[in-house]
Amino acid sequence: MPVTHIRRRWKSLALATSAVLVGLTVPALTPSAGAATTAGAATTAYDDTYYAAAIGKSGTALKDSLHTIISDQTKISYSAVWDALKVTDQDPNNSNNVVLLYSGISRSKSLNGGDTGDWNREHVWAKSHGDFGTSTGPGTDLHHLRPEDVQVNSIRGNKDFDNGGSSFTNSGGSLTDSNSFEPRAAVKGDVARMILYMAVRYEGTDGWPDLEPNDSVTNGSNPYHGRLPVLKQWHQQDPPSASEKRRNEIIYTSYQHNRNPFIDHPEWVESIW
């Protein structure tokens, strides 16, 4: 897909929304042929501060700049993840519960553990892909750790992400087959942006593996996660939601003090990949 298509999609949405608010008609965008997507295609409250060094860049230069920015983070322990998830993934309709990622079930915060009926800490970037386990660093990074039903977490295992498969108990619309997992529609974009965050944050420069997305569903213990074309499709189909943005803000202000740039600037995905 040409880079300009992504830029027009996100920018058109923002302009159309503004037009509704002020009662104006927005003319069709007609960017010049071959125009490149850069970090300035959208704006956020953090562009003049947090993302200042990335604005105006694209491709490898953008990825390198974002890596430097988001690597400045406060790391938390794996045990501290329990309490953090009770805040980041709190059910907006029931403050006593968390919402489970793949199943969409609202479950009591007190049911965190390892037994049937409990929820536990799901590594969206499977921790065996790069063999980083649960050590402080990628193994405890809240930007890809989410609450999930113990049995659903086991069904997902360390499978790569792809379309297709069959339903299962408490699936919530998620599907799985022998070598891949497809999350429910409401969080497909969330999953994609978590995987791509990990690929930018962990570049092999701080003692951890160089994590990268690829087009495979047989990555095993290699530091790769697939499938990139599908993840990009999910990212486009499921833009950042209010709950995803809220989660990003909580992690930034209360825990790690770094952000997932693809929630703030969705167009950066196409610029880098």
Side-chain angles (χ1 to χ4, degrees):
M1 176 184 293
V3 170
T4 51
H5 290 182
I6 296 298
R7 182 179 182 182
R8 282 157 47 190
R9 175 181 176 180
W10 289 101
K11 194 167 183 180
S12 297
L13 177 59
L15 288 175
T17 302
S18 298
V20 170
L21 294 175
V22 299
L24 298 177
T25 300
V26 180
L29 294 176
T30 54
S32 58
T37 297
T38 70
T43 59
T44 78
Y46 296 100
D47 287 357
D48 293 334
T49 52
Y50 188 74
Y51 292 122
I55 300 303
K57 295 178 181 177
S58 61
T60 301
L62 173 58
K63 186 184 182 189
D64 291 346
S65 181
L66 291 176
H67 168 71
T68 299
I69 292 169
I70 67 178
S71 293
D72 183 9
Q73 74 182 88
T74 299
K75 300 178 181 67
I76 69 173
S77 69
Y78 195 49
S79 61
V81 169
W82 285 123
D83 287 334
L85 293 181
K86 293 176 183 179
V87 179
T88 59
D89 292 78
Q90 178 175 294
D91 184 344
N93 299 314
N94 186 344
S95 61
N96 294 316
N97 289 9
V98 292
V99 177
L100 309 186
L101 177 64
Y102 303 132
S103 57
I105 293 171
S106 178
R107 184 165 293 172
S108 173
K109 292 177 179 179
S110 65
L111 291 176
N112 62 296
D115 297 328
T116 299
D118 288 344
W119 61 269
N120 58 7
R121 298 158 291 186
E122 154 71 343
H123 291 78
V124 176
W125 183 292
K127 59 182 181 290
S128 64
H129 290 221
D131 196 27
F132 52 75
T134 60
S135 300
T136 302
T140 65
D141 196 315
L142 289 172
H143 282 295
H144 85 117
L145 279 159
R146 302 293 292 267
E148 187 49 71
D149 175 80
V150 168
Q151 291 178 300
V152 173
N153 194 347
S154 178
I155 289 170
R156 187 270 160 131
N158 69 344
K159 295 173 182 175
D160 291 277
F161 294 107
D162 197 4
N163 290 313
S166 303
S167 184
F168 50 87
T169 302
N170 288 333
S171 70
S174 296
L175 304 172
T176 192
D177 57 24
S178 62
N179 59 13
S180 70
F181 191 88
E182 177 183 349
R184 60 192 176 100
V187 297
K188 283 183 174 179
D190 306 50
V191 167
R193 288 179 283 275
M194 285 186 276
I195 293 294
L196 298 179
Y197 160 87
M198 293 291 282
V200 172
R201 168 61 186 89
Y202 299 99
E203 293 278 50
T205 59
D206 51 3
W208 301 109
D210 180 5
L211 306 182
E212 294 295 338
N214 67 3
D215 193 12
S216 174
V217 291
T218 57
N219 284 305
S221 62
N222 294 314
Y224 309 121
H225 226 301
R227 297 182 51 227
L228 179 57
V230 174
L231 293 170
K232 288 176 62 179
Q233 179 187 53
W234 292 351
H235 167 68
Q236 295 172 35
Q237 292 174 343
D238 176 35
S241 63
S243 61
E244 190 180 358
K245 293 176 183 178
R246 170 186 171 276
R247 191 177 196 277
N248 196 29
E249 197 69 26
I250 292 172
I251 293 173
Y252 176 65
T253 58
S254 300
Y255 294 101
Q256 295 183 179
H257 310 296
N258 72 339
R259 304 183 67 81
N260 182 331
F262 305 115
I263 296 173
D264 295 325
H265 279 277
E267 78 282 359
W268 286 353
V269 170
E270 190 68 20
S271 182
I272 294 174
W273 287 284

